[in-house]
Amino acid sequence: MTENWKVALITVFSVLGGILVAALISELHLRLTAADFSVKGKHCYVTGGSQGLGKAVAQDLARRGAHVTIVARREALLQEALEEIKACASAPKEQGFHYVVADLTSYEDSMRALSEAVEKQGCAVEMLFMVAGLSSPGVFIEQTEKELTRIMDINYNGTVYTVHEVVKRLVAEKTKGAHIVFISSTLGFFGLIGYAGYCASKFAIRGLAESLRVELQMYDINVHCYFPGTIFTPGYEAENLTKPQITKDIEGADDGMTPEQCSKGMFKGLARGEFAITTDPITMLFRCSTRGTMPNNNIVLDAVVAAIAWIAFVPWRIFVDYSVKKYATKVEKSKSKTKAD
């Protein structure tokens, strides 16, 4: 009996040791093969840079010595944000800081904004951060065609226009080692009631990023996609004004993050060479369980987290489905009562 226990213990510790070694090798491989991510002295183009996550990203770029151009629609906010970004500069006299007013849902405006940014900075864009986005929750059948189109225009079309042009310029100029950073969302991994239009746009961003990660290796252009959860921004406050109650009930008390926390976590993932970057445990669960053919961040850790998610999400999915059906019954009763009155 004693010998059997010894053999069992040796087997268990050998397996655990093997898993730990595999995890360490995977981590080492990721770090050693990661493309250099130094933004110092490079022109970084940040959409949605006037507030929220975009402004926080621009401030972190300024701290790292980059030349920063921020792009958004409202000039007053851009002017104010630019002063805050300049204040973060590590070498103010050597870095260039500019803003461009543009509506990126317009192809023509997107092209003009890029050309204006290059002219102002005096150098081509080498680092692209596509942060601009919009969330406008609502029950699908109650939303208008205009609302749904606007979400896709801002979140997807406004991204693809700029990325397409920047990539063409990078290839034409034979620029190597450039980085393109997309911003998707936790809702780029799963669908949720009240977010049909938003989920569709963020799934589209994920698909675009995954495709370009593969394709742009031909030109030594690096692609990343950040999947943030709730970010406490002015946009989040506006979002809650139209968010259905059932959506709020399912989300519960969401432990969100500040734009500064998100930016810090995103840059940590970029430095590690991650393609799919997450900065909260819930989104990590979704990333690992719906990874598809995306590169692992750590093959062992991702496998363990995926196994946990596959079990944990079964009761969660049942809860969500039950909650939605219960909500439907409540809505019908409310309508019947209104008609009776």
Side-chain angles (χ1 to χ4, degrees):
M1 187 71 174
T2 304
E3 287 298 319
N4 289 338
W5 274 108
K6 285 182 179 179
V7 171
L9 286 173
I10 290 172
T11 302
V12 168
F13 282 113
S14 296
V15 171
L16 291 176
I19 292 173
L20 179 60
V21 170
L24 291 173
I25 291 173
S26 179
E27 183 68 22
L28 188 62
H29 176 266
L30 178 70
R31 291 176 181 269
L32 290 177
T33 57
D36 177 58
F37 189 79
S38 173
V39 300
K40 186 175 181 179
K42 294 179 180 178
H43 183 184
C44 298
Y45 189 87
V46 185
T47 68
S50 62
Q51 59 183 341
L53 179 59
K55 183 171 75 173
V57 167
Q59 288 174 314
D60 276 335
L61 289 169
R63 294 185 184 101
R64 289 168 165 79
H67 303 302
V68 183
T69 300
I70 56 173
V71 188
R73 289 175 297 169
R74 289 176 284 184
E75 187 166 18
L77 286 178
L78 281 166
Q79 290 174 337
E80 184 180 336
L82 195 67
E83 293 307 310
E84 295 179 50
I85 294 163
K86 286 179 180 178
C88 298
S90 59
K93 294 181 180 180
E94 298 173 14
Q95 294 171 254
F97 297 97
H98 299 279
Y99 72 79
V100 177
V101 180
D103 176 4
L104 298 181
T105 64
S106 161
Y107 176 80
E108 291 75 16
D109 228 18
S110 296
M111 300 304 102
R112 176 193 58 78
L114 273 171
S115 297
E116 187 175 326
V118 170
E119 184 180 348
K120 286 181 174 180
Q121 291 284 10
C123 56
V125 173
E126 290 185 70
M127 301 283 185
L128 188 57
F129 296 82
M130 301 306 300
V131 189
L134 167 75
S135 176
S136 181
V139 177
F140 183 62
I141 62 171
E142 295 176 0
Q143 291 185 297
T144 65
E145 176 273 336
K146 186 177 289 186
E147 286 178 291
L148 294 170
T149 301
R150 181 167 175 260
I151 294 170
M152 189 60 78
D153 279 344
I154 292 175
N155 294 352
Y156 182 74
N157 293 335
T159 293
V160 77
Y161 294 155
T162 298
V163 172
H164 187 242
E165 179 63 21
V166 168
V167 169
K168 287 197 295 182
R169 295 185 184 197
L170 289 170
V171 172
E173 295 161 7
K174 297 183 179 179
T175 302
K176 305 293 183 181
H179 288 260
I180 298 172
V181 182
F182 292 92
I183 307 297
S184 182
S185 166
T186 304
L187 291 172
F189 289 126
F190 75 103
L192 185 63
I193 182 173
Y195 283 110
Y198 183 74
C199 286
S201 68
K202 291 302 182 178
F203 267 79
I205 290 296
R206 174 187 172 179
L208 177 63
E210 284 197 52
S211 297
L212 292 182
R213 184 202 71 79
V214 178
E215 183 173 332
L216 298 189
Q217 291 179 89
M218 292 194 296
Y219 314 109
D220 194 16
I221 297 173
N222 305 285
V223 177
H224 314 266
C225 193
Y226 175 40
F227 298 85
T230 296
I231 310 176
F232 297 129
T233 64
Y236 176 68
E237 294 172 10
E239 173 185 325
N240 280 329
L241 297 176
T242 62
K243 187 180 294 182
Q245 186 58 47
I246 179 61
T247 308
K248 294 178 181 178
D249 293 342
I250 292 172
E251 288 180 334
D254 196 349
D255 294 326
M257 299 172 68
T258 66
E260 291 75 22
Q261 289 172 322
C262 288
S263 180
K264 181 179 179 181
M266 185 190 77
F267 276 103
K268 183 178 179 181
L270 291 170
R272 290 183 70 244
E274 295 176 0
F275 163 70
I277 302 168
T278 58
T279 49
D280 67 89
I282 299 299
T283 311
M284 184 180 182
L285 283 169
F286 280 107
R287 176 183 66 79
C288 293
S289 63
T290 62
R291 187 176 57 82
T293 59
M294 287 194 298
N296 287 288
N297 291 348
N298 184 298
I299 190 169
V300 176
L301 180 60
D302 285 3
V304 171
V305 172
I308 294 170
W310 292 333
I311 296 170
F313 286 157
V314 172
W316 181 81
R317 185 175 61 249
I318 293 171
F319 160 73
V320 170
D321 291 349
Y322 170 77
S323 298
V324 171
K325 291 174 182 177
K326 185 178 178 182
Y327 176 73
T329 303
K330 182 179 178 181
V331 170
E332 284 302 316
K333 285 182 178 179
S334 177
K335 287 181 178 178
S336 298
K337 185 179 179 182
T338 302
K339 288 179 180 179
D341 293 341

